[in-house]
Amino acid sequence: MAGMSDVAKRAGVSIATVSRVLNNSESVNEATRMKILKVIKELKYQPSRVAKRLRSKRVSSNLLGVLIPDIQNPFYVDVLRGIEDIAYKNNYAIIMCNYGQDEKKEIMYLDILQSEAIDGLVAAPVSENDQRLKNIVKNGFPVVCVDRGLAGIDVDIVWVNNEEGAFAAVSHLVKSNYKRIAYISGLPSIPSSKMREAGYRRALKPNNLFDPALIRWGDSSYESGVNLCAELLDLPNPPDALFTGNNLITLGALETIHKRGKLIPAEIAIVGFDDMFWSSSLNPPLTAVRQPAYEIGKRAGELLIQRISDPLRPCIQMTLNAELMIRSSC
Amino acid sequence: MAGMSDVAKRAGVSIATVSRVLNNSESVNEATRMKILKVIKELKYQPSRVAKRLRSKRVSSNLLGVLIPDIQNPFYVDVLRGIEDIAYKNNYAIIMCNYGQDEKKEIMYLDILQSEAIDGLVAAPVSENDQRLKNIVKNGFPVVCVDRGLAGIDVDIVWVNNEEGAFAAVSHLVKSNYKRIAYISGLPSIPSSKMREAGYRRALKPNNLFDPALIRWGDSSYESGVNLCAELLDLPNPPDALFTGNNLITLGALETIHKRGKLIPAEIAIVGFDDMFWSSSLNPPLTAVRQPAYEIGKRAGELLIQRISDPLRPCIQMTLNAELMIRSSC
DNA sequence: TTTTAGAATGAAAACGTTTACATTTGTCGG
DNA sequence: CCGACAAATGTAAACGTTTTCATTCTAAAA
């Protein structure tokens, strides 16, 4: 691979000049610029991003980190797509880290990201009290949080109004005259689980429908959806409707429901948090709270790139609206 | 951030010695090793992967590239998970590039990856004739292909027996007495589309069931599934069964089928290529050809790491078996 | 003519490592 | 007591850029 010195030699200039035309900085004679560009093409020269990164911490090195809890969750896939589109447009590459809700793995990835000298990071932290990430933010490193915030720290966040979303979903269930509405939650350590629970309770309150026996805490996984749904259906006095705390849980609950041959919505209604692009392909089409995941990713990406270029701008908390997509599952 | 020289100074040794204990290479006195390790902890020293990468091209710098066509396709997500698990175990980080079936984007990402000085690359190329990737392989750079090969070039590949998988699926349809079996294919430029078509034709042949009117070519997307399925159902003599060419197409076709209120399998049967972890959650549970996607990723990761440490070992083409998961959609 | 200002370029240091080579020290055989 | 070897460590060059500072050159101002 040809380096900058090869280009310089062949063009009869110094590497400094080559660097200058590459970064079209300062003044360089039009004729030499042309010649250098020609040589670059001839040699198929490609600047080393690594060297660039090593040398200049104050100049964008065009690498972004993304740290997410679960790549298997379609929500994060869409967030990732959003970030990636923005990154691509701005000539950034992405180093993706999937920590699978495992704090050890998260810490290791955080270390790696730092040591890769990335320009900035979009992260959905393992919890509100993620000490490691907090420190990184405190050190003034550009970070944007998605889906989950960081307690007691000022940081850019893009998320959704979880409580309102849950409230809308459960209210719709109430209006449709369901009486025993269960909630299968994700990990209690994740702030959004709590907020969704709050919305659930608030919607149930006026009609006095709340029953603590109908609430189940899991680990945000497909399996927990399968199992907790079974538990609920096995209750002596089972629910007539289900509010599921995320994507994966919904899908898991559906497996159990179908396996038992229960009819939706006649025997059990269901509304899920998190829409999926194929929700209409389910039978019956699923009613769900739509988080604009792609949009979240896009906004987060934009915010991050802004912060990189202006580290001092005040933090923004961006709350997008969750929208209830009413289909036929309740 | 503390650098190696800080550690060296504080420990009263030269940076060379520090480097040696970091790479536990050569002989270094046990006492000094201890002292250095202690200082490293004290200063929370973290070696810069960037500098490491810049300096030594012949030593693993612990960064892998992954280049995939469509992160929205759950198949690739699972492949990615497989790669990532192996990478994590071997202390590699992953830089993920999603080119969205867009050749321009693929080329840009290939450039970036090169210039990031990654150790190796797992890629699903845009086509068999991907010139750019071919060159990279020719230059002796460690590459493992997944899902799609590279024509006329010796390269490690991990994929699935596409023809057999399709054959099994369509045979099952034939045995179940369906007479007009349609195929909605993905992009014709992707080798696997062709192979799946071959299996489809082979299964139809003995019973003379093949009808060119029942075959449709799309672009491997959800939308193409929606539209082409509609086209087929609108035929004067519509199919009684559907074989869909991938994940996304299946989901799209399901949307159309449900929207029209067609009963599965009574009015239209369906078997899809690519299983999903939530296939049992569909109603009715979907019969599908299961590619062991996670396994594919894992194997590819292993192969890549092997190749990095032994660039000369002969190439391996690993064909895993696709398995027909019979559920109730046909 | 002599300054002077700017434009264009070059020389060399720096980024944080690895590594080839050199040096010091200690040990042992003769 | 000397030479030789091995173990432990140090010195400095390299990796491929960016960037500061210095230099050269040209042309306009004095």
Side-chain angles (χ1 to χ4, degrees), chain B residues 24 37-38 83 102 120 187 210 213 243 245:
Chain B
N24 38 340
L37 286 175
K38 206 179 110 219
I83 300 171
D102 173 351
L187 279 166
F210 180 72
F243 171 51

PDB file of all heavy atoms in Angstrom, chain B residues 24 37-38 83 102 120 187 210 213 243 245:
ATOM      1  N   ASN B  24       3.618  -9.866  27.368  1.00  0.00           N
ATOM      2  CA  ASN B  24       4.416 -10.915  28.007  1.00  0.00           C
ATOM      3  C   ASN B  24       5.308 -11.666  27.027  1.00  0.00           C
ATOM      4  O   ASN B  24       5.183 -12.858  26.813  1.00  0.00           O
ATOM      5  CB  ASN B  24       3.570 -11.875  28.847  1.00  0.00           C
ATOM      6  CG  ASN B  24       2.230 -12.177  28.183  1.00  0.00           C
ATOM      7  OD1 ASN B  24       1.774 -11.428  27.322  1.00  0.00           O
ATOM      8  ND2 ASN B  24       1.626 -13.271  28.563  1.00  0.00           N
ATOM      9  N   LEU B  37       3.223  -3.882  36.583  1.00  0.00           N
ATOM     10  CA  LEU B  37       1.785  -4.179  36.613  1.00  0.00           C
ATOM     11  C   LEU B  37       1.081  -3.315  37.660  1.00  0.00           C
ATOM     12  O   LEU B  37      -0.031  -2.832  37.447  1.00  0.00           O
ATOM     13  CB  LEU B  37       1.567  -5.661  36.902  1.00  0.00           C
ATOM     14  CG  LEU B  37       1.891  -6.574  35.725  1.00  0.00           C
ATOM     15  CD1 LEU B  37       1.763  -8.041  36.111  1.00  0.00           C
ATOM     16  CD2 LEU B  37       0.988  -6.260  34.536  1.00  0.00           C
ATOM     17  N   LYS B  38       1.760  -3.139  38.779  1.00  0.00           N
ATOM     18  CA  LYS B  38       1.165  -2.337  39.837  1.00  0.00           C
ATOM     19  C   LYS B  38       0.955  -0.893  39.344  1.00  0.00           C
ATOM     20  O   LYS B  38      -0.140  -0.327  39.484  1.00  0.00           O
ATOM     21  CB  LYS B  38       2.079  -2.345  41.075  1.00  0.00           C
ATOM     22  CG  LYS B  38       1.320  -2.109  42.390  1.00  0.00           C
ATOM     23  CD  LYS B  38       2.260  -2.152  43.598  1.00  0.00           C
ATOM     24  CE  LYS B  38       2.433  -0.786  44.211  1.00  0.00           C
ATOM     25  NZ  LYS B  38       3.803  -0.496  44.675  1.00  0.00           N
ATOM     26  N   ILE B  83     -20.547 -14.101  14.874  1.00  0.00           N
ATOM     27  CA  ILE B  83     -19.217 -13.534  14.697  1.00  0.00           C
ATOM     28  C   ILE B  83     -18.792 -12.799  15.961  1.00  0.00           C
ATOM     29  O   ILE B  83     -17.679 -12.958  16.461  1.00  0.00           O
ATOM     30  CB  ILE B  83     -19.190 -12.540  13.519  1.00  0.00           C
ATOM     31  CG1 ILE B  83     -19.585 -13.242  12.226  1.00  0.00           C
ATOM     32  CG2 ILE B  83     -17.806 -11.914  13.380  1.00  0.00           C
ATOM     33  CD1 ILE B  83     -19.787 -12.283  11.062  1.00  0.00           C
ATOM     34  N   ASP B 102     -26.359  -1.820  -1.466  1.00  0.00           N
ATOM     35  CA  ASP B 102     -25.971  -0.704  -2.319  1.00  0.00           C
ATOM     36  C   ASP B 102     -24.470  -0.819  -2.621  1.00  0.00           C
ATOM     37  O   ASP B 102     -23.637  -0.699  -1.742  1.00  0.00           O
ATOM     38  CB  ASP B 102     -26.277   0.604  -1.587  1.00  0.00           C
ATOM     39  CG  ASP B 102     -25.747   1.814  -2.328  1.00  0.00           C
ATOM     40  OD1 ASP B 102     -25.000   1.637  -3.309  1.00  0.00           O
ATOM     41  OD2 ASP B 102     -26.073   2.941  -1.919  1.00  0.00           O
ATOM     42  N   GLY B 120      -8.870  -8.637   9.752  1.00  0.00           N
ATOM     43  CA  GLY B 120      -9.534  -9.551   8.841  1.00  0.00           C
ATOM     44  C   GLY B 120     -10.971  -9.131   8.630  1.00  0.00           C
ATOM     45  O   GLY B 120     -11.464  -8.223   9.295  1.00  0.00           O
ATOM     46  N   LEU B 187     -33.129 -11.013  -5.071  1.00  0.00           N
ATOM     47  CA  LEU B 187     -32.342 -10.462  -6.160  1.00  0.00           C
ATOM     48  C   LEU B 187     -31.692 -11.560  -7.003  1.00  0.00           C
ATOM     49  O   LEU B 187     -31.004 -12.429  -6.473  1.00  0.00           O
ATOM     50  CB  LEU B 187     -31.231  -9.576  -5.598  1.00  0.00           C
ATOM     51  CG  LEU B 187     -31.601  -8.155  -5.186  1.00  0.00           C
ATOM     52  CD1 LEU B 187     -30.492  -7.553  -4.352  1.00  0.00           C
ATOM     53  CD2 LEU B 187     -31.854  -7.321  -6.420  1.00  0.00           C
ATOM     54  N   PHE B 210     -44.124 -27.508 -12.725  1.00  0.00           N
ATOM     55  CA  PHE B 210     -43.515 -26.201 -12.968  1.00  0.00           C
ATOM     56  C   PHE B 210     -44.327 -25.357 -13.934  1.00  0.00           C
ATOM     57  O   PHE B 210     -44.720 -25.817 -14.999  1.00  0.00           O
ATOM     58  CB  PHE B 210     -42.094 -26.363 -13.503  1.00  0.00           C
ATOM     59  CG  PHE B 210     -41.424 -25.048 -13.771  1.00  0.00           C
ATOM     60  CD1 PHE B 210     -41.019 -24.246 -12.709  1.00  0.00           C
ATOM     61  CD2 PHE B 210     -41.225 -24.599 -15.076  1.00  0.00           C
ATOM     62  CE1 PHE B 210     -40.414 -23.026 -12.952  1.00  0.00           C
ATOM     63  CE2 PHE B 210     -40.620 -23.373 -15.312  1.00  0.00           C
ATOM     64  CZ  PHE B 210     -40.215 -22.594 -14.247  1.00  0.00           C
ATOM     65  N   ALA B 213     -45.287 -19.020 -15.004  1.00  0.00           N
ATOM     66  CA  ALA B 213     -46.112 -17.885 -14.565  1.00  0.00           C
ATOM     67  C   ALA B 213     -46.064 -17.734 -13.053  1.00  0.00           C
ATOM     68  O   ALA B 213     -46.438 -16.696 -12.512  1.00  0.00           O
ATOM     69  CB  ALA B 213     -47.549 -18.074 -15.022  1.00  0.00           C
ATOM     70  N   PHE B 243     -43.614 -20.450  -2.027  1.00  0.00           N
ATOM     71  CA  PHE B 243     -42.286 -20.652  -1.471  1.00  0.00           C
ATOM     72  C   PHE B 243     -41.572 -19.323  -1.563  1.00  0.00           C
ATOM     73  O   PHE B 243     -41.343 -18.799  -2.655  1.00  0.00           O
ATOM     74  CB  PHE B 243     -41.540 -21.749  -2.242  1.00  0.00           C
ATOM     75  CG  PHE B 243     -40.088 -21.875  -1.866  1.00  0.00           C
ATOM     76  CD1 PHE B 243     -39.697 -21.990  -0.536  1.00  0.00           C
ATOM     77  CD2 PHE B 243     -39.109 -21.887  -2.855  1.00  0.00           C
ATOM     78  CE1 PHE B 243     -38.356 -22.111  -0.191  1.00  0.00           C
ATOM     79  CE2 PHE B 243     -37.762 -22.007  -2.521  1.00  0.00           C
ATOM     80  CZ  PHE B 243     -37.392 -22.115  -1.190  1.00  0.00           C
ATOM     81  N   GLY B 245     -38.462 -16.601  -0.922  1.00  0.00           N
ATOM     82  CA  GLY B 245     -37.014 -16.717  -1.067  1.00  0.00           C
ATOM     83  C   GLY B 245     -36.170 -16.265   0.101  1.00  0.00           C
ATOM     84  O   GLY B 245     -35.001 -16.597   0.184  1.00  0.00           O
TER      85      GLY B 245
END
